[in-house]
Structure formats: C-alpha cells, structure tokens
Amino acid sequence: MGTATAGKDGAATAWRNWAGNVTAAPVRVVAPASVEELREAVRRAASEGLRVKAVGTGHSFTAAAATDGVLVRPQALAGITAVDRAAGTVTVAAGTVLKDLNRALAAQGLSLTNMGDIMEQTVSGATSTGTHGTGRDSASIAAQIRALELVTADGRLLTCSEKENPEVFAAARVGIGALGIVTSLTLAVEPLFFLTAREEPMGFDRVTAEFDQHVAENEHFEFYWFPHTGNCNTKRNNRSQGPAAPPGPVSAWVEDELLSNGLFQAVNSLGRAVPATIPAIARVASRALSARTYTDIPYKVFTSPRRVRFVEMEYALPRENAVAALRELRALVDRSDLRISFPVEVRTAPADDITLSTASGRDTAYVAVHMYRGTPYRAYFTAAERIFTAHGGRPHWGKVHTRDAEYLARAYPRFGEFTALRDRLDPDRVFGNDYLRRVLGA
C-alpha cells in the first residue's frame, strides 16, 4: 500500500508506492473531506504554481501519481452514493477501495461483471490506469463506467457521460491522471451471480496450442506459466446456477495462503539469496498445484490475496500475436542465465472504445512478467519488453515500462485525440509530472 508521512499543516516528507520502487517528496499532502475542499485545493495549488496529483493505494509500479507539488489522498471521498437498480448502475466516490465496493455491492445483491485479480486499489486509481481482469466478452473496470465527475485544472467540476461532455468521457475513463482528478464514478452493475472456477495444471505446449479454443469456450480464461519449466496452471471462470461451494478451509489455506503467499514468500527470498536454486524450485512448485473446482460470488472467485511484494511489467498485445510472443519469451528464458521465480500471467480482453485503453480498438491478450521485490529486474524486463514491442504491444499505464510518447503515438490510433483534449483541459499542466511528460509528451 502507498504510504505518505506528513508533518504539521500537511507538509509531507515522503511518499512511497506499494512495491517500494517509486518515491516522491511532495510539498504538502491534502486529504479533502468533500469535493468542494478538493476543488479549493486544486485552485490553491494552481495559483501557487504547484502541480497536483491524486494518489490511491500506490499499487502502480510507475510514477504516474508521483509529484513534487501537492499530493491528494482521496480516501475520505469514499462509499456508494447512489444505486439505480432500474438503470443497473451504482455511483461511487472515487476514493472507495475496490474491496469495500465489492463487499457493499454483494450486500445489496449486486456485482460488477468483471474485475481484476486484486482489490486493494481505489476505484479511481484502478480505472485511471486501465486495471483489468480477463474476459472473452467483458472488459476492464474502466469499460464498465457509465459516467464520471472530474475536477479540472481551473477547479471546475465536469460531469461526463456518453451524452454529457462525450469527448471527455471517451478519454477520462482511462485518463492516467492527466485530465483532472476523478471524484465520482457511475459503474454498470448486475444482480449478484455465481461463478464456477476450474483450476487445472496443463503443459505449456498444450495451453499455447489450444489458447484460442480456451478463450472462445470460457467467459474468463487465464493461465500462468512457470519459467524454467514446461508447466502452466490454467483457470476458467464461468457463470453457474450455484449454490456457493467455496474451497474447503484446508484447500483454501494451502492454495491461497501457503502456496501463494507464505511458502511463495519463503521461496522468493531463497531465490533472491541463491538464484541458482530457482529452476529446481520452479519445477517443484509448478507440480505442487493440483486441479480444483469451486463456486462462489464473483469477487471471491476473481480476486485473491497478494501479500508477496513484487515489481511488474505487463503488455497488451493484439490477441493473435500472444502465443508467438510467449513462445519467444520462453525461448529467451531457456537460453539465458536469467533466473525467474515468478510465473508469467496471461489474460484477455475484448476491444473497447476508450481512447487510451490498452484494449482500445482491438481484441487483446495481456502478458505480465513479475520479479520479487528487491531482485534485479531490468535485464529480464528489458528483454521481455523487446519481444512485446516487436509484436505491437501497449504497456499497462501503471506497470514498469520504458516507452515514450513517440512510441505510444504509433501504438494508439487516437493518441492525438487524447493529447489535444489534455491541451484544452490542462494547458498549464497542473496535473503534470515527469511520467506524463514521458508518455504523453510536453
């Protein structure tokens, strides 16, 4: 979780993200208790020539939220503010943590259609960076937004939807913090339903050969490949009639706590200390997983606890290029002296219509590479990024990458549309920072 330490009068000394790879030293930290207080904080910062960034829980691995000016903590702007069952929408304040939103929705018999695999982020932080799960028909959390409110650089509150300020709505759903500070989101929801998850080990050659088939046959398909092995773990999530049949307490503890957190932490610590042990550990760990099937409400199936800290790079590839890129990544690991203790995660999303969504205008497969926190990651990420960019990849806005505006303007057909809107809404770059200068240009 991101942390900030503050002195008197909100004067801050330091902010650090969840992974610990990004730090910032803002002039002050503000935690507005209302939208009006936030608007005033933005107006004051602009009048003082200070830049402003809102930061959620610090789960981005990039410096998207870092600032040397005013750091806004929106956590007091939280909770569901309206439920419209007839329209199938819920309006939620931007600082709401996804975990709290999911539980509150379930208590009202409602659910998001799709979500990512962790729920520690704020809803505005997750959507602004394009956080996603996996889905054949259902897309990222941002694609489920039906309206939003945004504080602009001059302190105005802008309401955006397909009918109101539609050009801002098209861009601000994944706005990377460049267009303003989101204060409220209206999300599409549906009556609570059940998902049955089927987890099954499968060989790399088989899962890559059958990838298109698995994506076509399942509402939500993903898999993890364990580097240094030919082993994968697959997960299929599909709707079912129920009833709930969650994993037994022992199975849940073994899979989710021991293997995914406790033992995984120990294994990664050993691997960091003695990298030569990693291939043997990977072979044992990838064979320790067994097939299991369970049924529960969506957020309990989509998400899982992640307490082992890591650094991550993820690229969105045209879906037809994913298998070729994965095979190249495997060949790269096999012929190198890299030692990779984290599995590679593969997910999918349908095309959407959001200007800078990683799935904008094309069916997408996501390939994510991770390294244990504190382990040198640049050699692996640089080599992986070379493969992903050769296949027309788009980097996740909140994960490690080295791309700049020149590359991204080629990767996104509507890139100029976004930057022109930014010029109109924030000509003085009140919401700018070094990361945005790199990815969007000056």
Side-chain angles (χ1 to χ4, degrees):
M1 190 167 284
T3 57
T5 52
K8 275 164 57 175
D9 304 323
T13 52
W15 172 82
R16 181 182 296 107
N17 69 339
W18 177 82
N21 68 313
V22 177
T23 58
V27 170
R28 64 176 176 266
V29 174
V30 298
S34 66
V35 172
E36 195 47 56
E37 280 186 25
L38 172 61
R39 295 173 67 187
E40 180 51 40
V42 170
R43 284 192 289 259
R44 180 186 166 196
S47 71
E48 294 172 350
L50 294 173
R51 297 188 293 186
V52 187
K53 297 306 295 180
V55 64
T57 55
H59 268 266
S60 286
F61 301 92
T62 63
T67 186
D68 55 5
V70 178
L71 191 74
V72 176
R73 306 299 302 256
Q75 278 76 356
L77 304 175
I80 293 174
T81 57
V83 176
D84 186 337
R85 290 178 186 274
T89 60
V90 60
T91 301
V92 59
T96 308
V97 174
L98 285 170
K99 179 165 51 184
D100 299 330
L101 173 61
N102 284 329
R103 288 171 179 163
L105 288 175
Q108 300 213 32
L110 298 168
S111 177
L112 294 170
T113 298
N114 199 355
M115 59 194 82
D117 58 5
I118 61 169
M119 53 179 184
E120 305 301 321
Q121 315 99 312
T122 60
V123 64
S124 57
T127 53
S128 293
T129 53
T131 296
H132 61 90
T134 189
R136 180 189 61 203
D137 312 305
S138 54
S140 69
I141 307 174
Q144 298 169 68
I145 297 173
R146 296 294 172 262
L148 59 84
E149 288 185 347
L150 189 73
V151 172
T152 58
D154 56 6
R156 283 181 304 146
L157 186 64
L158 210 58
T159 302
C160 311
S161 66
E162 285 184 347
K163 295 196 174 91
E164 203 171 351
N165 296 303
E167 76 292 351
V168 181
F169 181 67
R173 284 174 285 170
V174 179
I176 340 170
L179 304 176
I181 297 178
V182 175
T183 60
S184 173
L185 296 157
T186 298
L187 296 159
V189 291
E190 56 177 305
L192 197 62
F193 55 94
F194 287 109
L195 283 173
T196 292
R198 180 175 157 210
E199 296 177 8
E200 180 188 2
M202 193 178 290
F204 180 93
D205 293 335
R206 180 183 163 196
V207 76
T208 51
E210 297 176 355
F211 179 64
D212 289 338
Q213 179 187 337
H214 291 307
V215 172
E217 290 176 355
N218 296 281
E219 290 177 73
H220 309 275
F221 176 72
E222 64 187 300
F223 72 93
Y224 298 84
W225 163 58
F226 294 83
H228 312 294
T229 80
N231 303 328
C232 298
N233 198 38
T234 63
K235 185 177 182 185
R236 305 167 176 84
N237 297 330
N238 290 289
R239 292 186 185 223
S240 74
Q241 294 302 306
V250 174
S251 166
W253 183 81
V254 168
E255 295 280 343
D256 299 328
E257 292 303 322
L258 179 63
L259 292 177
S260 299
N261 285 297
L263 182 62
F264 196 47
Q265 176 86 48
V267 161
N268 275 281
S269 296
L270 173 62
R272 183 171 64 187
V274 191
T277 62
I278 287 174
I281 290 170
R283 287 190 289 273
V284 173
S286 63
R287 285 199 295 264
L289 297 165
S290 55
R292 63 172 180 165
T293 301
Y294 52 95
T295 300
D296 217 326
I297 59 174
Y299 83 84
K300 294 184 178 181
V301 174
F302 284 129
T303 69
S304 51
R306 291 275 189 276
R307 282 186 286 281
V308 179
R309 301 206 180 203
F310 53 84
V311 179
E312 180 179 359
M313 167 184 281
E314 181 178 60
Y315 265 75
L317 308 176
R319 207 172 77 201
E320 63 273 14
N321 294 8
V323 168
L326 266 170
R327 288 174 176 153
E328 288 172 38
L329 185 64
R330 183 182 179 187
L332 164 83
V333 171
D334 287 349
R335 70 171 180 263
S336 74
D337 58 3
L338 294 167
R339 294 294 174 260
I340 315 301
S341 62
F342 254 85
V344 173
E345 183 180 24
V346 182
R347 295 176 287 175
T348 67
D352 65 41
D353 64 348
I354 303 169
T355 314
L356 289 190
S357 162
T358 46
S360 183
R362 71 186 191 194
D363 289 343
T364 295
Y366 294 96
V367 182
V369 296
H370 312 69
M371 286 290 268
Y372 183 48
R373 187 172 75 167
T375 306
Y377 63 84
R378 291 192 194 283
Y380 177 38
F381 283 15
T382 299
E385 189 172 40
R386 201 170 290 131
I387 292 169
F388 300 152
T389 54
H391 285 278
R394 298 166 176 169
H396 188 300
W397 295 108
K399 297 178 185 177
V400 175
H401 68 93
T402 67
R403 300 298 89 189
D404 60 13
E406 184 184 359
Y407 176 91
L408 294 163
R410 295 195 303 271
Y412 286 95
R414 297 168 66 188
F415 188 82
E417 190 183 313
F418 188 97
T419 54
L421 179 65
R422 184 190 187 206
D423 288 341
R424 176 160 72 81
L425 290 178
D426 187 14
D428 299 324
R429 302 296 188 253
V430 171
F431 301 115
N433 64 7
D434 292 345
Y435 177 72
L436 291 179
R437 185 181 303 111
R438 171 163 70 88
V439 299
L440 297 178

